[in-house]
Amino acid sequence: MGVVERRTLDQVLDFLRGRQKPSGMLSWGVLDTAPDEYCTETSSEYVAALTLLGLDDEALPKALFLREQQLPNGAWAEVHSHIPKAFQTESSVTGFALLALLGLDLDPKDLDGALEFLDQARRPEGHFGLNWYYYSTYYYLIRPAVAALAQLGHHSAVAHACEFVLSQQRADGSWYTEVDGFGEYSSPEQHTALALETLAYAGMDAGHLAVRRGLLWLLARQRPDGSWDGGSYPYPDTGTYRSFRATQHIFTTAQVLAVLHRLAALEGLLDTHI
């Protein structure tokens, strides 16, 4: 790693460390939250990032804290008052928490319970539902669940999920979930990156026709400034949320980089364990 990259990484880590809750967890956005509130998904990704960087001693206490937050029904929940109660235990939350633990070779307190929760959350079509609060796309919810199930060797569930993703690919190679009542919101670029990540976590590389078509479509959509269009966060057009708008270009660009990293790892061009 060069000097510039090292300095940039240190600045990012200082930023994240400065925003930790007393538990070591992270929140999201700019809204004030209580000291004991945090985003399980964001915190799990934080743990995974520290693990990838070889900072296991820093990641481990956070992972152990997450491990203890598993609910009696096997799931993990968002601990965040800004997230509607009914949305706090979507399958992606459990998927992200499992990935954080697995990256450090930690077993959850109740692995069978976590797997049973994901199995019950999985719809007959193979996906894990659709929730506007989670980007109004199947692929945000399905991606971390598939990644965790693949690592745990539950290949039948992974294959079923991938069949659904493949069935939804559009003629031009992209993916996009249209939801009535939300107008213009998160972009096909975002949905395509998340769908491709799902397939890549299942072990499908760029040699697979659907992956290759999606990847070529995505690469052709890069903007002159280097980013990918993410659209807007899918707040419904109602009185409560009408004034809330947030573009998703940074998140989407990060997801494109993540899928490129995952596909490179599948090709043996990178050494990664997550």
Side-chain angles (χ1 to χ4, degrees):
M1 183 181 295
V3 174
V4 173
E5 290 87 353
R6 181 74 252 178
R7 183 169 63 244
T8 300
L9 180 58
D10 288 342
Q11 290 172 336
V12 170
L13 288 172
D14 286 344
F15 172 84
L16 294 172
R17 289 166 180 149
R19 283 152 182 79
Q20 291 180 174
K21 297 304 183 82
S23 60
M25 302 290 96
L26 292 177
S27 186
W28 50 262
V30 297
L31 297 173
D32 290 333
T33 57
D36 60 346
E37 291 186 319
Y38 59 90
C39 175
T40 299
E41 292 188 331
T42 302
S43 300
S44 297
E45 290 281 79
Y46 184 28
V47 171
L50 292 172
T51 304
L52 276 172
L53 293 169
L55 301 174
D56 291 13
D57 290 345
E58 189 172 351
L60 184 59
K62 305 178 196 307
L64 291 173
F65 175 86
L66 276 173
R67 184 179 185 272
E68 293 305 308
Q69 308 316 305
Q70 188 176 12
L71 300 175
N73 70 346
W76 275 264
E78 296 287 23
V79 187
H80 205 296
S81 60
H82 296 295
I83 300 175
K85 186 74 173 177
F87 299 167
Q88 291 179 359
T89 55
E90 285 288 1
S91 56
S92 57
V93 184
T94 295
F96 278 120
L98 285 172
L99 289 172
L101 299 181
L102 293 171
L104 287 161
D105 295 323
L106 290 175
D107 291 328
K109 288 196 305 180
D110 182 7
L111 177 58
D112 289 341
L115 293 172
E116 183 177 355
F117 171 80
L118 290 177
D119 186 60
Q120 291 176 351
R122 186 160 51 93
R123 307 303 199 269
E125 299 86 354
H127 61 79
F128 287 84
L130 183 69
N131 188 319
W132 70 263
Y133 209 94
Y134 293 75
Y135 298 92
S136 271
T137 178
Y138 296 109
Y139 314 114
Y140 182 86
L141 296 178
I142 204 172
R143 176 193 51 146
V146 164
L149 289 168
Q151 284 201 39
L152 291 166
H154 286 256
H155 304 301
S156 177
V158 169
H160 193 196
C162 287
E163 287 173 6
F164 170 78
V165 174
L166 293 171
S167 74
Q168 300 299 302
Q169 189 173 28
R170 303 198 297 181
D172 63 2
S174 69
W175 281 265
Y176 188 61
T177 306
E178 295 187 22
V179 180
D180 292 338
F182 288 86
E184 296 295 326
Y185 63 100
S186 49
S187 67
E189 288 87 342
Q190 181 191 104
H191 293 200
T192 299
L194 294 170
L196 285 171
E197 280 187 84
T198 303
L199 298 177
Y201 271 114
M204 295 185 188
D205 61 21
H208 190 286
L209 179 59
V211 175
R212 184 164 66 252
R213 291 178 61 240
L215 185 59
L216 289 172
W217 181 91
L218 194 57
L219 293 176
R221 303 288 290 187
Q222 187 176 20
R223 302 193 295 187
D225 65 359
S227 70
W228 276 264
D229 175 39
S232 298
Y233 194 85
Y235 291 113
D237 189 21
T238 64
T240 303
Y241 292 101
R242 189 165 288 129
S243 63
F244 290 9
R245 291 294 176 265
T247 59
Q248 298 296 298
H249 312 320
I250 293 174
F251 173 73
T252 298
T253 300
Q255 297 313 307
V256 175
L257 294 176
V259 73
L260 293 176
H261 180 275
R262 172 57 48 184
L263 290 171
L266 288 173
E267 296 291 337
L269 302 177
L270 294 173
D271 180 19
T272 180
H273 61 283
I274 290 186

